[in-house]
Amino acid sequence: MGRDRNMLKATVAAWALSGAPSTLLAMTRRDDLLWPSIAAGTLVPGRRDRPGLAAGLAAHTVVSALWAPLVAKAVEGRRHPVLVGAAAGLAIAAVDLGIIGRRYPAIAALPQAPQWADHAAFGAVVGWMSARR
């Protein structure tokens, strides 16, 4: 039960904090802060051409819940869980952005560097949280 609770905390923290890099950049550029979340809504079946915030939040939640346990497993017993987690986040970005996201115009149109940074942040947060006992 404790392990499941820790995984839930790690997932929620990563879900909430992983967008910090792109959000900070968007704030400095005065870009739409919500557009990446809205674009993620196109991942929901039947919404490929219809971005939306609610759908984006749902997609982000599902994707986070799928990836977080894999990152936690990757950092298990590692000496530097934050760094290993960040590296795992970049590997996830290769899949999410480099393979899957290319098929979704709203996601492909996002500035890629901030999205990769968000993925690294996701992995780092999961690594840090899952290594805590």
Side-chain angles (χ1 to χ4, degrees):
M1 180 71 133
R3 187 178 200 117
D4 291 341
R5 175 178 253 159
N6 197 40
M7 186 71 259
L8 179 61
K9 287 180 184 179
T11 304
V12 171
W15 180 93
L17 299 172
S18 64
S22 64
T23 299
L24 290 172
L25 183 62
M27 288 172 63
T28 62
R29 292 180 175 175
R30 299 192 193 300
D31 291 342
D32 184 347
L33 298 178
L34 296 177
W35 182 245
S37 294
I38 292 167
T42 62
L43 293 170
V44 174
R47 297 194 60 96
R48 180 182 166 93
D49 297 318
R50 296 184 308 134
L53 183 58
L57 294 174
H60 190 241
T61 300
V62 170
V63 170
S64 294
L66 292 172
W67 283 123
L70 297 174
V71 174
K73 189 68 174 168
V75 304
E76 195 173 282
R78 300 295 179 136
R79 189 176 210 179
H80 302 288
V82 174
L83 294 176
V84 174
L90 292 173
I92 292 167
V95 174
D96 284 355
L97 301 170
I99 298 172
I100 298 168
R102 291 172 140 185
R103 297 178 181 142
Y104 295 84
I107 294 170
L110 293 171
Q112 293 298 292
Q115 297 307 307
W116 281 72
D118 286 353
H119 279 74
F122 175 85
V125 171
V126 172
W128 176 64
M129 293 290 295
S130 63
R132 295 179 55 196
R133 298 283 176 230

